[in-house]
Amino acid sequence: MSNDWMPGPRSEILAMCRNWISYMTTERRTAWNIPQDQFTELQTLFGNAETLLQKALDEAERTHVITVECQAAFTALCAKMRFFRDRYFKMPPLTEGDWAALGFRQKDDHHTPVPEPDGTPAASLSYAGGPHALLVHLGPMAGTRALDLASDYGYAVYVGIMPPGGATLEQAASDKHYLMKMPADGKQLQHYRFTRRRKEKILFDAEDGGMTAWVCCRYENQKGDVGQWGPVVSAIIP
């Protein structure tokens, strides 16, 4: 399976963590051997990231300090979420139902032979009708063969954001990894998500409005193997 299970947008990271906290009842935490102090720390990091994101999205409250603190809060939250997944989310004691409820794709324990992706996908962008959002349209590249669901099971979508004129060194080193120049291919973009849908909405932070979003995709099979890159496309973030 692909290791890129962490959502890209901060709002979706919070949504996943909020779901975890709600799902990890006292009974489940006991069965899964999750110490109370670890669960409390996850709750604290979640609350801190949620509060700082609200401030960062509020033009009246947003400052450079708030932006930096928000980035640090999400770095800490994501690190703790990865720790939880690697340390505590094991099957057993988790069931397939627990795994799905936590927001993960189903594990494949049957080792069924799956061909590697060999198709070439393409993406196009349009405005999604709301602020700071773009709609990605996914499908086979024109002139290539039809989608083979055995190997080209879904799409791995990659996204990068470039400020006008390119990112500064500080912006490029931030947790968003802003682009310093136009990407030549998808290798320079960050994994956004896996999807089997032909349309996928990407939500950006308010601070990214007016910047250029670059998007690229490639096919991914049920084992998490990925194929060749499609073309890179771009649009201005509204």
Side-chain angles (χ1 to χ4, degrees):
M1 298 297 294
S2 171
N3 291 324
D4 296 311
W5 56 269
M6 181 72 73
R10 291 171 174 173
S11 60
E12 295 188 15
I13 293 173
L14 290 177
M16 171 176 269
C17 189
R18 184 184 297 108
N19 177 56
W20 286 10
I21 291 171
S22 175
Y23 192 74
M24 286 189 287
T25 60
T26 301
E27 182 179 1
R28 290 191 177 104
R29 296 200 304 274
T30 300
W32 300 351
N33 297 313
I34 300 175
Q36 180 60 42
D37 61 338
Q38 290 291 338
F39 182 69
T40 300
E41 185 177 353
L42 179 67
Q43 288 178 304
T44 301
L45 291 172
F46 167 80
N48 188 41
E50 185 177 44
T51 299
L52 286 169
L53 180 60
Q54 291 174 352
K55 292 182 178 180
L57 295 176
D58 187 340
E59 294 184 1
E61 290 194 67
R62 185 173 64 238
T63 64
H64 177 69
V65 173
I66 290 295
T67 300
V68 172
E69 289 181 347
C70 186
Q71 292 172 347
F74 273 87
T75 297
L77 177 61
C78 289
K80 179 58 68 174
M81 291 173 67
R82 292 186 186 280
F83 173 80
F84 261 70
R85 186 184 189 277
D86 294 340
R87 178 68 63 88
Y88 303 123
F89 296 164
K90 305 292 185 182
M91 293 195 297
L94 274 71
T95 66
E96 291 284 357
D98 294 326
W99 190 256
L102 291 168
F104 303 125
R105 279 181 284 158
Q106 185 176 6
K107 286 189 172 183
D108 183 1
D109 296 324
H110 302 293
H111 308 290
T112 304
V114 176
E116 294 187 359
D118 61 357
T120 304
S124 62
L125 298 173
S126 65
Y127 293 106
H132 322 306
L134 292 172
L135 193 62
V136 184
H137 304 264
L138 301 161
M141 181 184 290
T144 62
R145 63 169 177 75
L147 187 68
D148 180 358
L149 294 180
S151 58
D152 307 332
Y153 182 70
Y155 303 91
V157 181
Y158 298 75
V159 180
I161 303 171
M162 189 176 75
T168 64
L169 289 175
E170 180 182 8
Q171 289 175 315
S174 71
D175 65 336
K176 288 190 175 182
H177 303 289
Y178 287 108
L179 299 170
M180 301 182 71
K181 59 181 180 179
M182 295 186 296
D185 53 42
K187 296 178 183 178
Q188 301 171 57
L189 307 180
Q190 301 295 308
H191 184 272
Y192 177 69
R193 69 168 40 169
F194 169 87
T195 182
R196 298 195 67 201
R197 294 184 291 188
R198 297 295 295 271
K199 294 181 181 180
E200 191 71 43
K201 181 184 288 187
I202 302 179
L203 299 174
F204 299 89
D205 294 335
E207 63 190 17
D208 299 330
M211 298 185 186
T212 302
W214 295 86
V215 176
C216 189
C217 63
R218 49 185 177 175
Y219 285 126
E220 180 175 329
N221 66 16
Q222 296 182 64
K223 294 285 189 179
D225 301 321
V226 290
Q228 59 190 344
W229 294 103
V232 182
V233 295
S234 65
I236 301 298
I237 300 171

